[in-house]
Amino acid sequence: MRLVFAGTPEVAVPSLSAIAESRHELVGVVTRPDARAGRGRRVLRSPAASWADEHGIEVRTPRRPSDEEFLAWLRDTAPDCVPVVAYGALVPQAALEIPAHGWVNLHFSLLPAWRGAAPVQHAVLHGDEVTGASVFELEKGMDTGPVYGSLTERVRPTDTSGDLLDRLATAGAGLLVAVLDAIKDGTAHAVPQPTDGVSLAPKVTVEDARVRWDDPAFAVDRRVRACTPAPGAWTTFRDERIKVLPVALGEFDVALAPGELAVHRAEVLVGTASSAVRLGQVQPAGKKPMAATDWARGARVAAGDRFA
């Protein structure tokens, strides 16, 4: 089939590569417009656009996929299908109707669980033991279309959302190509999603990523892992923000109030609503990540000091 791919972040690139190596013809890439990022606020191409540039594939970056100029281009390009991975914009009905086989989306959850922008983060945050990826037919509703196929993936006890998303992006690329093959062969069958088991996964905000030290230790651990690497779990110390990287659970022989710090030669412990957790790395504002023990020495953490 002639394919136009729609996707934006790094997790879209494994699917792009898999499609390029498949039996299908990749004739274009649609992605979000270039954006300013980093300290220097440089204008950067999306990872999907950069991949397409390197491979000589035409790139389109409409501000909105409803723009008439983009719709005209899509009609002229005449793709048989548009595979989608984390495109990042709502696709209007006018665009959905152009390809003969529609738009086919790779979503990183077992639908109808975790419909929305942050399925992997919510799976980690809520302590799911198993998650997965689904390929479904894109329609007007939020991740509501019938499902062509899915795969499962175990959530490991120390997984960050970044770890889990990397695995799902790689495995999901194979699933997406398999569905495209089946569509071409006429053997694909999309099954409507059940009405039971629906859960929503809205974008995780910076405020959501603030560590709640008055939660139990297991909930602190989940929140930090769910928000790593983005948007980044954080807390405050002496009124300054500090990023918290994954912590360790254990049976630590110390009684600490929520947020209270205890510094030992080889570890830094923090109190929660249950048992303490051990800090791994932290990142003060404007600095690189460092071992918690190095940070504590430099900050001269004293008895009774605590995270807010």
Side-chain angles (χ1 to χ4, degrees):
M1 295 188 292
R2 284 172 57 83
L3 303 178
V4 167
F5 180 88
T8 298
E10 192 65 40
V11 293
V13 173
S15 289
L16 259 176
S17 297
I19 288 170
E21 296 173 0
S22 73
R23 66 197 245 204
H24 307 289
E25 180 186 8
L26 181 61
V27 296
V29 169
V30 182
T31 188
R32 301 297 293 148
D34 299 352
R36 295 187 180 276
R39 289 187 183 178
R41 305 302 294 166
R42 292 185 301 140
V43 176
L44 298 176
R45 298 280 267 172
S46 75
S50 297
W51 184 96
D53 291 342
E54 293 173 4
H55 292 80
I57 305 296
E58 183 177 4
V59 177
R60 289 283 166 150
T61 58
R63 292 182 62 83
R64 294 175 298 274
S66 59
D67 292 347
E68 186 52 44
E69 182 181 353
F70 168 71
L71 294 175
W73 173 82
L74 192 61
R75 293 188 198 100
D76 291 343
T77 305
D80 297 305
C81 186
V82 179
V84 187
V85 182
Y87 172 41
L90 292 176
V91 181
Q93 190 65 31
L96 294 175
E97 293 174 352
I98 291 174
H101 297 289
W103 293 51
V104 177
N105 190 73
L106 171 63
H107 182 77
F108 299 115
S109 80
L110 294 173
L111 292 170
W114 302 130
R115 293 174 178 171
V120 174
Q121 289 163 312
H122 281 274
V124 175
L125 179 63
H126 290 83
D128 291 2
E129 294 183 355
V130 176
T131 186
S134 306
V135 174
F136 70 98
E137 182 181 347
L138 206 62
E139 58 181 29
K140 191 173 182 180
M142 175 64 74
D143 302 331
T144 57
V147 176
Y148 283 105
S150 61
L151 59 83
T152 59
E153 177 70 30
R154 187 174 72 88
V155 182
R156 300 169 187 170
T158 58
D159 270 342
T160 65
S161 62
D163 297 332
L164 183 55
L165 189 55
D166 285 347
R167 297 202 306 275
L168 289 172
T170 299
L175 174 65
L176 180 58
V177 170
V179 168
L180 294 170
D181 288 346
I183 290 173
K184 173 60 179 174
D185 295 340
T187 59
H189 180 57
V191 178
Q193 294 184 34
T195 56
D196 294 333
V198 175
S199 52
L200 302 180
K203 181 180 178 180
V204 175
T205 67
V206 172
E207 187 55 37
D208 293 332
R210 183 169 189 162
V211 181
R212 292 131 169 88
W213 299 108
D214 54 358
D215 281 348
F218 74 86
V220 169
D221 169 61
R222 288 178 188 173
R223 185 173 301 276
V224 173
R225 289 189 291 113
C227 296
T228 302
W234 62 279
T235 189
T236 56
F237 180 72
R238 296 173 185 164
D239 296 325
E240 292 189 1
R241 185 174 294 194
I242 182 170
K243 186 178 290 188
V244 180
L245 280 77
V247 301
L249 302 175
E251 296 297 327
F252 302 111
D253 188 20
V254 60
L256 298 172
E260 185 181 358
L261 292 156
V263 180
H264 304 291
R265 178 174 296 180
E267 63 184 11
V268 178
L269 303 178
V270 191
T272 73
S274 57
S275 57
V277 297
R278 183 175 63 231
L279 292 180
Q281 288 189 312
V282 299
Q283 185 175 3
K287 297 184 179 180
K288 295 181 179 180
M290 63 180 69
T293 49
D294 293 339
W295 164 77
R297 282 193 295 270
R300 299 183 183 277
V301 176
D305 279 347
R306 65 178 59 207
F307 289 140

